[in-house]
Amino acid sequence: MACLLLIHIFLILAEDMYAPALSSMMREFSVSAALLNMTMFAFFFTMAFGIIVFGPISDRLGRRKVLIGCCVLFAICSAGCAASPSVAVLTAFRVGQAIGYGGVVTLVTAMVGDAYDIEGTKVAMTLLQSTIIIGPTVAPFLGTFLMAHWGWRSIFVLLAVLSVISVGLAMLIDETLPEQSRSSVSGSAVLHEMLGGFKTLMGQKTFRNLALFMSVAGVPYYAFIATASYVLLDFFTVSYLEYSLVYAAVSAVSIVAPYAYLVLSRYLKSRSILVVCVVLMGMAFVIMALWGQNGPWVFFAALVPFALSEGIARPLAFVILLRQPPELVGSASSLANFLYSVLTSLGTVVATAGWSNFVLANAVIMGVSFAAMAALYLVNLRRAHLDAADQAKV
């Protein structure tokens, strides 16, 4: 378990460790923010497909060898990112990184499920989820330190080194899926079965709208990741240290948010909690639109309610979305994560699409997310059967 956790921590840093360097990279490559942020969009968008594809592949070939292959791919592409002479080459290597990372996300989760019983899985998954929180919190500090001392390329050099270590750790892990337990179904049959499950799930109004609600709530967070360096370092001209503190403070709110959901779930019905999420997103939009340009910490104040909204909506949604027949639980998890990754990756593109003011960009995206969440709730979710979350607390 320790090896799996370390691999996940090392590779999750790739999501946003180079965010502090974006403004510097824009000047070095002499490109627009929109073009440079294609490197971020490409990563998150491609990762969504890696998450879906490698599960069925490992069902046939075994977990360990596929995990090693994904770590090797990530290491090669990280080194390629460090040596990239242009944004086009950097984007291509970021795509390779994303494929490897998407595979690691799926395989680490699958190996936990293989290796532990129900009670052990609960503990293991709690530890695994903590690495998802640690990554975005630590990454900006590491990225800022490396950027300040050795430039942006050193960030990818460190990722390459960590991924080589991950290859070694993966080799130490025993196979968790013995040959007799592996799928004998052909690749085309696995694909047909997977697509059939997705079609069934998307045919469920509650699943479709709740998955979209959760994903829309996450879009402003990724817009913030994509624009943070431009807003804080260029617009507000803060130091790298203050940039890291603001970024880490937003991550800290994201850490608290799931626990806020646990508290709310003791006293409120699921529908009421969804309303809380909508209201919080609306508050974020108003604060950002009216006062977001008044300083870095006022900007942060606008980020607090949206981080709470996303952090509350996501665990609530998964509690309900995963209440499926056993044969659809895996598909439900993959599809919900896929939709989340695709929509949030699009948020990184919209946030940097030729805006003259990136604070305004964040405000507009929050406003659109607020309107979409309210519409999804009013059209379907307020009348939907959301009993699963309510039953879970009894």
Side-chain angles (χ1 to χ4, degrees):
M1 184 63 195
C3 290
L4 290 175
L5 289 174
L6 285 173
I7 291 171
H8 201 247
I9 289 173
F10 289 163
L11 271 60
I12 200 173
L13 296 174
E15 286 193 4
D16 58 353
M17 191 162 76
Y18 80 123
L22 287 173
S23 59
S24 175
M25 294 167 69
M26 183 175 68
R27 291 187 289 271
E28 178 176 328
F29 288 125
S30 299
V31 297
S32 66
L35 181 59
L36 182 59
N37 273 274
M38 286 302 295
T39 62
M40 189 169 288
F41 166 74
F43 182 90
F44 289 118
F45 188 79
T46 308
M47 181 182 72
F49 291 92
I51 287 172
I52 283 183
V53 168
F54 282 105
I57 290 176
S58 69
D59 286 340
R60 297 192 69 214
L61 302 179
R63 316 290 191 207
R64 181 175 177 270
K65 63 178 70 172
V66 180
L67 178 64
I68 292 171
C70 288
C71 291
V72 169
L73 175 62
F74 189 94
I76 293 171
C77 292
S78 295
C81 287
S84 294
S86 67
V87 172
V89 175
L90 178 62
T91 302
F93 280 118
R94 284 288 283 171
V95 167
Q97 268 191 325
I99 293 171
Y101 177 62
V104 168
V105 170
T106 295
L107 290 162
V108 167
T109 303
M111 294 177 87
V112 167
D114 293 338
Y116 296 96
D117 59 17
I118 293 176
E119 290 304 314
T121 299
K122 289 180 181 179
V123 175
M125 288 304 296
T126 299
L127 292 172
L128 185 59
Q129 289 300 310
S130 69
T131 67
I132 297 174
I133 296 169
I134 290 170
T137 304
V138 173
F141 285 100
L142 282 175
T144 297
F145 177 81
L146 293 169
M147 173 65 201
H149 288 81
W150 298 289
W152 68 267
R153 295 181 189 274
S154 64
I155 295 171
F156 291 103
V157 170
L158 177 61
L159 288 173
V161 171
L162 293 176
S163 50
V164 169
I165 295 173
S166 296
V167 173
L169 292 172
M171 290 180 175
L172 296 176
I173 299 172
D174 294 329
E175 176 59 65
T176 60
L177 187 67
E179 289 192 23
Q180 62 270 23
S181 300
R182 296 176 190 175
S183 173
S184 59
V185 179
S186 67
S188 60
V190 169
L191 178 62
H192 183 269
E193 183 178 317
M194 180 178 69
L195 293 176
F198 292 165
K199 183 178 180 181
T200 298
L201 291 166
M202 288 303 288
Q204 301 175 10
K205 277 189 177 182
T206 299
F207 183 95
R208 182 174 65 246
N209 286 286
L210 191 55
L212 287 172
F213 185 97
M214 174 188 73
S215 301
V216 168
V219 170
Y221 186 79
Y222 285 81
F224 162 69
I225 290 175
T227 61
S229 64
Y230 307 121
V231 171
L232 296 171
L233 296 174
D234 294 343
F235 185 77
F236 290 125
T237 63
V238 303
S239 66
Y240 279 113
L241 175 60
E242 192 170 4
Y243 166 89
S244 297
L245 290 174
V246 173
Y247 203 108
V250 176
S251 298
V253 176
S254 297
I255 293 172
V256 172
Y259 297 96
Y261 159 68
L262 290 178
V263 174
L264 289 173
S265 66
R266 296 175 186 171
Y267 305 103
L268 299 176
K269 298 288 186 181
S270 297
R271 291 184 190 84
S272 299
I273 298 176
L274 291 177
V275 172
V276 170
C277 294
V278 174
V279 170
L280 286 169
M281 189 62 73
M283 290 173 57
F285 164 61
V286 170
I287 297 171
M288 185 66 76
L290 296 180
W291 303 292
Q293 300 184 52
N294 289 355
W297 290 103
V298 179
F299 179 75
F300 163 73
L303 301 175
V304 170
F306 102 72
L308 285 171
S309 177
E310 191 275 340
I312 293 170
R314 196 170 186 187
L316 167 64
F318 270 113
V319 167
I320 300 170
L321 294 174
L322 296 181
R323 292 280 177 153
Q324 300 289 339
E327 66 273 13
L328 287 177
V329 170
S331 294
S333 176
S334 294
L335 182 56
N337 279 302
F338 174 78
L339 289 172
Y340 184 89
S341 296
V342 169
L343 287 181
T344 52
S345 67
L346 291 174
T348 66
V349 175
V350 175
T352 55
W355 297 89
S356 59
N357 185 319
F358 289 117
V359 176
L360 176 62
N362 278 271
V364 170
I365 290 171
M366 287 177 182
V368 173
S369 293
F370 164 65
M373 291 166 68
L376 287 166
Y377 177 79
L378 292 172
V379 171
N380 175 263
L381 295 175
R382 68 171 176 162
R383 294 187 299 269
H385 295 290
L386 304 179
D387 301 342
D390 299 326
Q391 291 172 0
K393 70 186 181 185
V394 176

